[in-house]
Coordinates of all heavy atoms in Angstrom, one line a residue:
M21 N 30.6 37.3 -53.8 CA 30.7 38.5 -54.7 C 31.6 38.1 -55.9 O 32.5 37.3 -55.8 CB 31.4 39.6 -53.9 CG 30.6 40.3 -52.9 SD 31.4 41.7 -52.3 CE 31.9 41.1 -50.7
K22 N 31.2 38.7 -57.0 CA 31.9 38.4 -58.3 C 32.3 39.8 -58.9 O 31.6 40.8 -58.7 CB 31.1 37.7 -59.2 CG 30.6 36.3 -58.7 CD 29.6 35.7 -59.7 CE 29.0 34.5 -59.2 NZ 28.1 33.9 -60.1
I23 N 33.4 39.8 -59.6 CA 33.8 41.0 -60.3 C 33.3 40.8 -61.8 O 33.6 39.8 -62.4 CB 35.3 41.2 -60.3 CG1 35.8 41.4 -58.9 CG2 35.7 42.4 -61.2 CD1 35.3 42.6 -58.2
I24 N 32.5 41.7 -62.2 CA 32.0 41.6 -63.6 C 33.0 42.0 -64.6 O 33.5 43.1 -64.5 CB 30.7 42.4 -63.7 CG1 29.6 41.9 -62.8 CG2 30.2 42.4 -65.2 CD1 28.4 42.8 -62.8
T25 N 33.3 41.2 -65.6 CA 34.2 41.6 -66.7 C 33.4 41.6 -68.0 O 33.8 42.2 -68.9 CB 35.4 40.7 -66.8 OG1 34.9 39.3 -66.9 CG2 36.3 40.8 -65.6
D26 N 32.3 40.9 -68.0 CA 31.4 40.8 -69.2 C 30.2 41.7 -68.9 O 29.5 41.4 -67.9 CB 31.0 39.4 -69.4 CG 30.2 39.3 -70.7 OD1 30.1 40.2 -71.5 OD2 29.5 38.2 -70.8
P27 N 29.9 42.7 -69.7 CA 28.7 43.5 -69.4 C 27.4 42.8 -69.5 O 26.4 43.3 -68.9 CB 28.8 44.6 -70.5 CG 29.9 44.3 -71.4 CD 30.6 43.1 -70.9
A28 N 27.3 41.7 -70.1 CA 26.0 41.0 -70.1 C 26.0 39.9 -69.1 O 26.7 38.8 -69.3 CB 25.8 40.4 -71.5
V29 N 25.4 40.1 -68.0 CA 25.4 39.1 -66.9 C 23.9 38.6 -66.7 O 23.0 39.4 -66.4 CB 25.9 39.8 -65.6 CG1 25.8 38.8 -64.4 CG2 27.3 40.3 -65.8
Y30 N 23.7 37.4 -66.7 CA 22.4 36.8 -66.5 C 21.4 37.4 -67.4 O 20.3 37.8 -66.9 CB 22.0 36.8 -65.1 CG 23.0 36.2 -64.1 CD1 23.7 36.9 -63.2 CD2 23.2 34.8 -64.2 CE1 24.6 36.3 -62.4 CE2 24.1 34.2 -63.4 CZ 24.8 34.9 -62.5 OH 25.7 34.3 -61.6
D31 N 21.7 37.7 -68.6 CA 20.8 38.3 -69.6 C 20.3 39.7 -69.2 O 19.3 40.2 -69.5 CB 19.5 37.4 -69.8 CG 19.2 37.2 -71.2 OD1 20.0 37.6 -72.1 OD2 18.1 36.7 -71.5
Y32 N 21.2 40.4 -68.4 CA 20.9 41.7 -67.9 C 22.1 42.6 -68.2 O 23.2 42.2 -67.9 CB 20.6 41.7 -66.4 CG 20.4 43.1 -65.8 CD1 19.2 43.8 -66.0 CD2 21.4 43.7 -65.1 CE1 19.0 45.0 -65.5 CE2 21.3 45.0 -64.6 CZ 20.1 45.6 -64.7 OH 19.9 46.9 -64.2
H33 N 21.8 43.7 -68.9 CA 23.0 44.6 -69.2 C 23.4 45.3 -68.0 O 22.7 46.0 -67.3 CB 22.5 45.6 -70.3 CG 23.6 46.5 -70.7 ND1 24.8 46.1 -71.4 CD2 23.8 47.8 -70.5 CE1 25.6 47.1 -71.6 NE2 25.0 48.2 -71.0
A34 N 24.7 45.2 -67.6 CA 25.2 45.8 -66.4 C 26.6 46.4 -66.8 O 27.2 46.0 -67.7 CB 25.4 44.8 -65.3
E35 N 27.0 47.4 -66.0 CA 28.3 48.0 -66.2 C 29.3 47.1 -65.6 O 29.0 46.3 -64.7 CB 28.3 49.4 -65.5 CG 27.5 50.4 -66.2 CD 27.6 51.7 -65.5 OE1 28.6 52.0 -64.8 OE2 26.7 52.5 -65.7
K36 N 30.5 47.2 -66.0 CA 31.6 46.4 -65.4 C 31.9 46.9 -64.0 O 31.8 48.1 -63.7 CB 32.9 46.5 -66.3 CG 32.8 45.9 -67.6 CD 34.1 46.0 -68.4 CE 33.9 45.4 -69.7 NZ 35.1 45.5 -70.5
G37 N 32.1 46.0 -63.1 CA 32.4 46.3 -61.7 C 32.1 45.2 -60.8 O 32.1 44.1 -61.1
L38 N 31.7 45.6 -59.6 CA 31.4 44.6 -58.5 C 30.0 44.1 -58.7 O 29.0 44.9 -58.8 CB 31.6 45.3 -57.2 CG 31.5 44.4 -56.0 CD1 32.5 43.3 -56.0 CD2 31.6 45.2 -54.7
F39 N 29.8 42.8 -58.6 CA 28.5 42.2 -58.6 C 28.2 41.5 -57.3 O 29.0 40.6 -57.0 CB 28.4 41.3 -59.8 CG 27.1 40.5 -59.8 CD1 25.9 41.1 -60.1 CD2 27.1 39.1 -59.6 CE1 24.7 40.4 -60.2 CE2 25.9 38.4 -59.6 CZ 24.7 39.1 -59.9
I40 N 27.2 41.9 -56.6 CA 26.9 41.2 -55.3 C 25.5 40.5 -55.5 O 24.5 41.2 -55.7 CB 26.8 42.2 -54.2 CG1 28.1 43.0 -54.0 CG2 26.4 41.5 -52.9 CD1 28.1 44.1 -53.0
P41 N 25.5 39.2 -55.4 CA 24.2 38.5 -55.6 C 23.2 38.9 -54.5 O 23.5 39.2 -53.4 CB 24.6 37.0 -55.5 CG 26.0 37.0 -55.7 CD 26.6 38.3 -55.3
L42 N 21.9 38.8 -54.9 CA 20.8 39.2 -54.0 C 20.8 38.3 -52.7 O 20.5 38.8 -51.6 CB 19.5 39.1 -54.7 CG 18.3 39.7 -54.0 CD1 18.5 41.2 -53.8 CD2 17.1 39.5 -54.9
D43 N 21.2 37.1 -52.8 CA 21.3 36.2 -51.7 C 22.2 36.7 -50.6 O 22.0 36.5 -49.4 CB 21.7 34.8 -52.1 CG 20.6 34.1 -52.9 OD1 19.4 34.6 -52.9 OD2 20.9 33.2 -53.7
D44 N 23.3 37.3 -51.0 CA 24.3 37.9 -50.1 C 23.6 39.0 -49.3 O 23.9 39.2 -48.1 CB 25.5 38.4 -50.7 CG 26.4 37.3 -51.3 OD1 26.1 36.1 -51.0 OD2 27.4 37.6 -51.9
F45 N 22.8 39.8 -49.9 CA 22.1 40.9 -49.2 C 21.1 40.3 -48.3 O 20.8 40.9 -47.2 CB 21.5 41.9 -50.2 CG 22.4 42.9 -50.8 CD1 22.6 42.9 -52.2 CD2 23.2 43.7 -50.0 CE1 23.5 43.9 -52.7 CE2 24.0 44.6 -50.6 CZ 24.2 44.7 -51.9
C46 N 20.4 39.3 -48.7 CA 19.4 38.7 -47.9 C 20.0 38.1 -46.6 O 19.3 38.1 -45.5 CB 18.6 37.6 -48.6 SG 17.6 38.3 -49.9
S47 N 21.2 37.6 -46.7 CA 21.8 36.9 -45.5 C 22.3 38.0 -44.5 O 22.5 37.7 -43.3 CB 22.9 36.0 -45.9 OG 23.9 36.7 -46.5
T48 N 22.5 39.2 -45.0 CA 22.9 40.3 -44.1 C 22.0 41.5 -44.3 O 22.3 42.4 -45.0 CB 24.4 40.7 -44.3 OG1 24.5 41.0 -45.7 CG2 25.3 39.6 -44.0
P49 N 20.8 41.5 -43.7 CA 19.8 42.5 -44.0 C 20.3 44.0 -43.6 O 19.8 44.9 -44.2 CB 18.6 42.1 -43.2 CG 19.1 41.1 -42.2 CD 20.3 40.5 -42.7
G50 N 21.2 44.1 -42.6 CA 21.6 45.4 -42.2 C 22.6 46.0 -43.2 O 22.8 47.3 -43.2
L51 N 23.2 45.2 -44.1 CA 24.2 45.7 -45.0 C 23.6 46.7 -46.0 O 24.2 47.7 -46.3 CB 24.8 44.5 -45.8 CG 25.9 44.9 -46.8 CD1 27.1 45.6 -46.2 CD2 26.3 43.6 -47.5
I52 N 22.4 46.3 -46.6 CA 21.8 47.2 -47.6 C 21.4 48.6 -47.0 O 21.6 49.6 -47.6 CB 20.6 46.5 -48.3 CG1 20.2 47.3 -49.5 CG2 19.5 46.4 -47.4 CD1 21.0 47.0 -50.7
K53 N 20.9 48.5 -45.8 CA 20.5 49.8 -45.1 C 21.8 50.6 -44.8 O 21.8 51.8 -45.1 CB 19.8 49.5 -43.8 CG 19.3 50.7 -43.1 CD 18.5 50.4 -41.8 CE 17.9 51.5 -41.1 NZ 18.8 52.7 -40.9
S54 N 22.8 50.0 -44.4 CA 24.1 50.7 -44.1 C 24.6 51.3 -45.4 O 25.1 52.5 -45.4 CB 25.1 49.7 -43.5 OG 26.3 50.4 -43.3
L55 N 24.7 50.6 -46.4 CA 25.2 51.1 -47.7 C 24.3 52.2 -48.2 O 24.9 53.3 -48.7 CB 25.2 50.0 -48.8 CG 26.3 48.9 -48.6 CD1 26.1 47.8 -49.6 CD2 27.7 49.5 -48.8
R56 N 23.0 52.1 -48.1 CA 22.1 53.1 -48.6 C 22.3 54.4 -47.8 O 22.3 55.5 -48.3 CB 20.7 52.6 -48.5 CG 19.7 53.4 -49.4 CD 18.4 52.9 -49.4 NE 17.8 53.2 -48.1 CZ 16.5 53.2 -47.8 NH1 15.7 52.9 -48.7 NH2 16.1 53.5 -46.6
D57 N 22.4 54.3 -46.4 CA 22.6 55.4 -45.6 C 23.9 56.1 -45.9 O 24.0 57.4 -45.9 CB 22.6 55.1 -44.1 CG 21.2 54.6 -43.7 OD1 20.2 54.9 -44.4 OD2 21.1 54.0 -42.6
N58 N 25.0 55.4 -46.2 CA 26.3 55.9 -46.5 C 26.2 56.7 -47.9 O 26.7 57.8 -48.0 CB 27.3 54.8 -46.6 CG 28.7 55.4 -46.8 OD1 28.9 56.6 -46.9 ND2 29.7 54.5 -46.7
V59 N 25.5 56.1 -48.8 CA 25.4 56.8 -50.1 C 24.5 58.0 -50.0 O 24.9 59.1 -50.6 CB 24.7 55.8 -51.2 CG1 24.3 56.5 -52.4 CG2 25.7 54.7 -51.5
K60 N 23.5 58.0 -49.1 CA 22.7 59.2 -48.9 C 23.5 60.3 -48.3 O 23.4 61.5 -48.7 CB 21.5 58.8 -48.0 CG 20.6 60.0 -47.7 CD 19.2 59.7 -48.0 CE 18.4 60.9 -47.6 NZ 17.7 61.5 -48.7
R61 N 24.4 60.0 -47.3 CA 25.2 61.0 -46.7 C 26.2 61.6 -47.8 O 26.3 62.8 -47.9 CB 26.1 60.4 -45.6 CG 25.4 60.6 -44.3 CD 26.3 60.1 -43.1 NE 25.9 58.8 -42.7 CZ 26.5 57.7 -42.9 NH1 27.8 57.7 -43.3 NH2 26.0 56.5 -42.5
Q62 N 26.8 60.8 -48.6 CA 27.7 61.3 -49.6 C 26.9 62.1 -50.7 O 27.4 63.1 -51.2 CB 28.4 60.1 -50.3 CG 29.4 59.4 -49.5 CD 30.0 58.2 -50.2 OE1 30.1 58.2 -51.5 NE2 30.5 57.2 -49.5
L63 N 25.7 61.7 -51.0 CA 24.9 62.4 -51.9 C 24.5 63.8 -51.4 O 24.6 64.8 -52.1 CB 23.6 61.6 -52.3 CG 22.6 62.3 -53.2 CD1 23.2 62.5 -54.6 CD2 21.4 61.4 -53.4
T64 N 24.2 63.9 -50.1 CA 23.9 65.2 -49.5 C 25.1 66.1 -49.6 O 25.0 67.3 -49.9 CB 23.4 65.0 -48.1 OG1 22.3 64.1 -48.0 CG2 23.1 66.3 -47.4
K65 N 26.3 65.6 -49.3 CA 27.5 66.4 -49.3 C 27.8 66.8 -50.7 O 28.1 68.0 -51.0 CB 28.6 65.6 -48.8 CG 29.9 66.3 -48.8 CD 31.1 65.4 -48.2 CE 32.4 66.1 -48.3 NZ 33.5 65.2 -47.8
A66 N 27.7 65.9 -51.7 CA 28.0 66.2 -53.1 C 27.0 67.2 -53.6 O 27.4 68.1 -54.4 CB 28.0 65.0 -53.9
T67 N 25.7 67.1 -53.2 CA 24.7 68.1 -53.7 C 25.0 69.5 -53.2 O 24.9 70.5 -53.9 CB 23.3 67.6 -53.3 OG1 23.1 66.3 -53.8 CG2 22.3 68.6 -53.8
S68 N 25.5 69.6 -51.9 CA 25.8 70.9 -51.4 C 27.0 71.5 -52.1 O 27.0 72.7 -52.4 CB 26.0 70.9 -49.9 OG 27.2 70.2 -49.6
Y69 N 28.0 70.7 -52.4 CA 29.1 71.3 -53.2 C 28.7 71.7 -54.6 O 29.1 72.7 -55.1 CB 30.2 70.2 -53.4 CG 31.2 70.2 -52.2 CD1 31.2 69.1 -51.3 CD2 32.1 71.2 -52.0 CE1 32.0 69.1 -50.2 CE2 33.0 71.2 -50.9 CZ 32.9 70.1 -50.0 OH 33.8 70.1 -49.0
L70 N 27.8 70.9 -55.2 CA 27.3 71.2 -56.6 C 26.5 72.5 -56.5 O 26.7 73.3 -57.4 CB 26.5 70.0 -57.1 CG 25.8 70.3 -58.5 CD1 26.9 70.5 -59.6 CD2 24.9 69.1 -58.9
D71 N 25.7 72.7 -55.5 CA 24.9 73.9 -55.4 C 25.8 75.1 -55.3 O 25.6 76.2 -55.9 CB 23.9 73.8 -54.3 CG 22.8 72.8 -54.5 OD1 22.6 72.5 -55.7 OD2 22.2 72.4 -53.5
Y72 N 26.9 74.9 -54.5 CA 27.8 76.0 -54.3 C 28.5 76.4 -55.6 O 28.5 77.6 -56.0 CB 28.9 75.6 -53.3 CG 30.1 76.6 -53.3 CD1 30.0 77.8 -52.7 CD2 31.3 76.3 -53.9 CE1 31.0 78.7 -52.7 CE2 32.3 77.2 -53.9 CZ 32.2 78.4 -53.3 OH 33.3 79.3 -53.3
Y73 N 29.0 75.4 -56.4 CA 29.7 75.7 -57.7 C 28.7 76.2 -58.7 O 29.0 77.1 -59.5 CB 30.4 74.5 -58.2 CG 31.7 74.3 -57.4 CD1 31.9 73.2 -56.6 CD2 32.7 75.2 -57.4 CE1 33.1 73.0 -55.9 CE2 33.9 75.1 -56.7 CZ 34.1 73.9 -56.0 OH 35.2 73.8 -55.3
R74 N 27.4 75.8 -58.7 CA 26.4 76.3 -59.6 C 26.1 77.8 -59.3 O 25.9 78.6 -60.2 CB 25.1 75.5 -59.5 CG 25.1 74.3 -60.3 CD 23.8 73.6 -60.4 NE 23.8 72.5 -61.2 CZ 23.0 71.4 -61.1 NH1 22.1 71.4 -60.2 NH2 23.1 70.4 -61.9
G75 N 26.1 78.1 -58.0 CA 25.9 79.5 -57.6 C 27.0 80.4 -58.1 O 26.7 81.5 -58.6
V76 N 28.2 79.9 -58.0 CA 29.3 80.7 -58.5 C 29.3 80.9 -60.0 O 29.5 81.9 -60.6 CB 30.7 80.1 -58.0 CG1 31.9 80.8 -58.7 CG2 30.8 80.1 -56.5
H77 N 28.9 79.8 -60.7 CA 28.8 79.8 -62.1 C 27.7 80.7 -62.6 O 27.9 81.5 -63.5 CB 28.6 78.3 -62.6 CG 28.4 78.2 -64.1 ND1 29.4 78.4 -65.0 CD2 27.2 78.0 -64.8 CE1 28.9 78.3 -66.2 NE2 27.6 78.0 -66.1
E78 N 26.5 80.6 -61.9 CA 25.4 81.5 -62.3 C 25.6 82.9 -62.1 O 25.1 83.8 -62.7 CB 24.1 81.0 -61.7 CG 23.6 79.6 -62.2 CD 22.5 79.0 -61.4 OE1 22.1 79.7 -60.4 OE2 22.1 78.0 -61.8
A79 N 26.5 83.2 -61.1 CA 26.9 84.6 -60.8 C 27.8 85.2 -61.9 O 28.1 86.4 -61.9 CB 27.5 84.7 -59.4
G80 N 28.4 84.3 -62.7 CA 29.3 84.7 -63.7 C 30.7 84.9 -63.3 O 31.5 85.5 -64.0
E81 N 31.0 84.3 -62.1 CA 32.4 84.5 -61.5 C 33.2 83.3 -61.5 O 34.2 83.2 -60.8 CB 32.2 85.1 -60.1 CG 31.5 86.5 -60.1 CD 31.2 86.9 -58.7 OE1 31.6 86.2 -57.7 OE2 30.6 88.0 -58.5
A82 N 32.8 82.2 -62.2 CA 33.4 81.0 -62.1 C 34.7 80.9 -63.0 O 34.7 81.3 -64.1 CB 32.5 79.8 -62.5
S83 N 35.8 80.5 -62.4 CA 37.0 80.3 -63.1 C 36.9 78.9 -63.9 O 36.0 78.2 -63.6 CB 38.2 80.3 -62.2 OG 38.2 79.2 -61.3
S84 N 37.9 78.6 -64.7 CA 37.8 77.3 -65.4 C 38.0 76.2 -64.4 O 37.4 75.1 -64.6 CB 38.9 77.3 -66.5 OG 40.2 77.3 -65.9
R85 N 38.7 76.4 -63.4 CA 38.9 75.4 -62.4 C 37.6 75.1 -61.6 O 37.2 74.0 -61.3 CB 40.0 75.8 -61.4 CG 40.4 74.8 -60.4 CD 41.5 75.2 -59.5 NE 41.8 74.2 -58.6 CZ 42.8 74.3 -57.7 NH1 43.6 75.4 -57.6 NH2 43.0 73.3 -56.8
Q86 N 36.9 76.2 -61.3 CA 35.6 76.0 -60.6 C 34.6 75.4 -61.5 O 33.7 74.6 -61.1 CB 35.1 77.4 -60.1 CG 35.9 77.9 -59.0 CD 35.6 79.4 -58.6 OE1 35.3 80.2 -59.5 NE2 35.6 79.7 -57.3
Q87 N 34.6 75.7 -62.8 CA 33.7 75.1 -63.8 C 34.0 73.6 -63.9 O 33.1 72.8 -63.9 CB 33.9 75.7 -65.2 CG 33.1 75.1 -66.3 CD 31.6 75.3 -66.1 OE1 31.2 76.4 -65.6 NE2 30.8 74.3 -66.4
T88 N 35.3 73.2 -63.9 CA 35.7 71.8 -63.9 C 35.2 71.1 -62.6 O 34.7 70.0 -62.7 CB 37.2 71.6 -64.0 OG1 37.6 72.3 -65.2 CG2 37.6 70.2 -64.1
A89 N 35.3 71.8 -61.5 CA 34.9 71.2 -60.2 C 33.4 71.0 -60.2 O 32.9 70.0 -59.8 CB 35.3 72.1 -59.1
M90 N 32.6 72.0 -60.8 CA 31.2 71.8 -60.9 C 30.8 70.6 -61.8 O 29.9 69.9 -61.4 CB 30.6 73.1 -61.5 CG 29.0 73.1 -61.5 SD 28.3 74.5 -62.3 CE 28.4 74.1 -64.0
D91 N 31.5 70.5 -62.9 CA 31.2 69.3 -63.7 C 31.5 68.0 -63.0 O 30.7 67.0 -63.2 CB 32.1 69.4 -65.0 CG 31.6 70.6 -65.9 OD1 30.5 71.1 -65.7 OD2 32.5 71.0 -66.7
S92 N 32.6 67.9 -62.3 CA 32.9 66.7 -61.6 C 31.9 66.4 -60.5 O 31.5 65.2 -60.3 CB 34.3 66.7 -61.1 OG 34.5 67.5 -60.0
W93 N 31.5 67.4 -59.7 CA 30.5 67.2 -58.7 C 29.2 66.8 -59.3 O 28.4 66.0 -58.7 CB 30.4 68.5 -57.8 CG 31.5 68.6 -56.8 CD1 32.4 69.5 -56.8 CD2 31.7 67.7 -55.7 NE1 33.3 69.3 -55.7 CE2 32.9 68.2 -55.0 CE3 31.1 66.6 -55.2 CZ2 33.4 67.6 -53.9 CZ3 31.6 66.0 -54.0 CH2 32.7 66.5 -53.4
E94 N 28.8 67.4 -60.5 CA 27.6 67.0 -61.1 C 27.6 65.6 -61.5 O 26.6 64.8 -61.3 CB 27.3 67.9 -62.3 CG 26.0 67.8 -63.0 CD 25.7 68.8 -64.0 OE1 26.7 69.4 -64.6 OE2 24.5 69.0 -64.3
E95 N 28.7 65.1 -62.0 CA 28.8 63.7 -62.4 C 28.7 62.8 -61.2 O 28.1 61.8 -61.2 CB 30.2 63.5 -63.1 CG 30.4 62.1 -63.6 CD 31.7 61.9 -64.3 OE1 32.3 62.9 -64.8 OE2 32.2 60.7 -64.3
R96 N 29.4 63.2 -60.1 CA 29.3 62.5 -58.8 C 27.9 62.4 -58.3 O 27.5 61.3 -57.9 CB 30.3 63.1 -57.8 CG 30.3 62.3 -56.5 CD 31.5 62.8 -55.7 NE 31.4 62.2 -54.3 CZ 32.0 61.0 -54.0 NH1 32.7 60.4 -54.9 NH2 31.9 60.6 -52.8
V97 N 27.2 63.5 -58.3 CA 25.8 63.5 -57.9 C 24.9 62.6 -58.7 O 24.2 61.8 -58.1 CB 25.2 65.0 -57.9 CG1 23.7 64.9 -57.8 CG2 25.8 65.8 -56.8
N98 N 25.1 62.6 -60.0 CA 24.3 61.7 -60.9 C 24.6 60.2 -60.6 O 23.7 59.4 -60.5 CB 24.6 62.0 -62.3 CG 24.0 63.3 -62.8 OD1 23.1 63.8 -62.1 ND2 24.6 63.9 -63.8
N99 N 25.9 59.9 -60.3 CA 26.3 58.5 -60.0 C 25.7 58.1 -58.7 O 25.3 57.0 -58.5 CB 27.8 58.4 -60.0 CG 28.4 58.4 -61.4 OD1 27.8 58.2 -62.4 ND2 29.7 58.8 -61.4
L100 N 25.8 59.0 -57.7 CA 25.3 58.7 -56.3 C 23.8 58.5 -56.4 O 23.2 57.6 -55.7 CB 25.7 59.7 -55.3 CG 27.2 59.7 -54.9 CD1 27.5 61.0 -54.1 CD2 27.5 58.5 -54.1
K101 N 23.1 59.3 -57.1 CA 21.6 59.2 -57.3 C 21.3 57.9 -57.9 O 20.3 57.2 -57.4 CB 21.0 60.3 -58.1 CG 20.9 61.6 -57.4 CD 20.3 62.7 -58.4 CE 20.1 64.0 -57.7 NZ 19.5 65.0 -58.6
S102 N 22.0 57.4 -58.9 CA 21.8 56.1 -59.5 C 22.0 55.0 -58.5 O 21.2 54.1 -58.4 CB 22.7 56.0 -60.7 OG 22.6 54.7 -61.2
S103 N 23.1 55.1 -57.7 CA 23.4 54.1 -56.7 C 22.3 54.0 -55.6 O 21.9 53.0 -55.2 CB 24.8 54.4 -56.1 OG 25.8 54.3 -57.0
Y104 N 21.9 55.2 -55.2 CA 20.9 55.3 -54.1 C 19.6 54.7 -54.6 O 18.9 53.9 -53.9 CB 20.7 56.7 -53.7 CG 19.7 56.8 -52.5 CD1 20.1 56.5 -51.3 CD2 18.4 57.2 -52.7 CE1 19.3 56.6 -50.2 CE2 17.5 57.3 -51.7 CZ 18.0 57.0 -50.4 OH 17.1 57.1 -49.3
K105 N 19.2 55.0 -55.9 CA 18.0 54.4 -56.4 C 18.1 52.9 -56.5 O 17.1 52.2 -56.2 CB 17.7 55.0 -57.8 CG 16.5 54.5 -58.5 CD 16.3 55.1 -59.9 CE 15.1 54.5 -60.6 NZ 15.0 54.9 -62.0
T106 N 19.2 52.4 -57.0 CA 19.4 50.9 -57.1 C 19.3 50.3 -55.7 O 18.7 49.2 -55.6 CB 20.8 50.6 -57.7 OG1 20.8 51.2 -59.0 CG2 21.0 49.1 -57.9
L107 N 20.0 50.8 -54.7 CA 20.0 50.3 -53.4 C 18.6 50.3 -52.8 O 18.2 49.4 -52.1 CB 21.0 51.0 -52.5 CG 22.4 50.8 -52.8 CD1 23.3 51.7 -52.0 CD2 22.8 49.3 -52.5
S108 N 17.8 51.4 -53.1 CA 16.4 51.4 -52.6 C 15.6 50.3 -53.2 O 14.7 49.7 -52.5 CB 15.8 52.8 -52.9 OG 16.5 53.8 -52.2
E109 N 15.8 50.1 -54.5 CA 15.0 49.0 -55.2 C 15.4 47.7 -54.6 O 14.5 46.8 -54.4 CB 15.3 49.1 -56.7 CG 14.6 50.3 -57.3 CD 15.0 50.5 -58.8 OE1 15.8 49.7 -59.3 OE2 14.6 51.4 -59.4
V110 N 16.7 47.4 -54.4 CA 17.1 46.2 -53.8 C 16.5 46.0 -52.4 O 16.0 44.9 -52.1 CB 18.6 46.1 -53.8 CG1 19.1 44.9 -53.0 CG2 19.2 46.0 -55.2
K111 N 16.5 47.0 -51.6 CA 15.9 47.0 -50.3 C 14.4 46.6 -50.4 O 13.9 45.8 -49.6 CB 16.1 48.3 -49.5 CG 15.6 48.2 -48.1 CD 15.9 49.4 -47.3 CE 15.5 49.4 -45.9 NZ 14.5 48.5 -45.4
K112 N 13.7 47.2 -51.3 CA 12.3 46.9 -51.5 C 12.1 45.4 -51.9 O 11.2 44.7 -51.4 CB 11.6 47.7 -52.6 CG 11.4 49.1 -52.2 CD 10.8 49.9 -53.3 CE 10.7 51.4 -53.0 NZ 10.3 52.2 -54.1
I113 N 13.0 44.9 -52.7 CA 12.9 43.4 -53.1 C 13.1 42.6 -51.9 O 12.5 41.6 -51.7 CB 13.9 43.2 -54.3 CG1 13.4 43.9 -55.5 CG2 14.0 41.7 -54.5 CD1 14.4 43.8 -56.7
I114 N 14.2 42.9 -51.1 CA 14.5 42.1 -49.9 C 13.4 42.1 -48.9 O 13.0 41.1 -48.3 CB 15.8 42.6 -49.3 CG1 17.0 42.2 -50.2 CG2 16.0 42.0 -47.9 CD1 18.3 42.8 -49.8
D115 N 12.7 43.3 -48.8 CA 11.6 43.4 -47.8 C 10.4 42.6 -48.2 O 9.7 42.1 -47.4 CB 11.2 44.9 -47.7 CG 12.2 45.7 -46.9 OD1 13.1 45.1 -46.2 OD2 12.2 46.9 -47.0
L116 N 10.3 42.4 -49.6 CA 9.1 41.6 -50.0 C 9.4 40.1 -49.8 O 8.4 39.3 -49.7 CB 8.9 41.8 -51.5 CG 8.4 43.2 -51.9 CD1 8.3 43.3 -53.4 CD2 7.0 43.4 -51.3
K117 N 10.6 39.6 -49.7 CA 10.9 38.2 -49.5 C 10.6 37.7 -48.2 O 10.5 38.3 -47.2 CB 12.4 37.9 -49.8 CG 12.7 37.9 -51.3 CD 14.1 37.4 -51.5 CE 14.3 37.0 -52.9 NZ 15.6 36.4 -53.1

């Protein structure tokens, strides 16, 4: 594993953060499934919180604190969806190998 400090890695634009080479995932096939399942659980939980805060907001009864919570849950849902999509694509690539 490498920590990315340069956003351009191997001619691919990536965000700064943790970089796990595909070979590491291939050597531990259960890891990707475990990570994906964990992200899916977190996504389900975050979506239910987002739905709750959206309901309060749409009813017109949301305080500024609830509005802030809705915004943060919405950001979290978007990040988790992106992670889940990436992990699913990596799993497809590993399954093809």
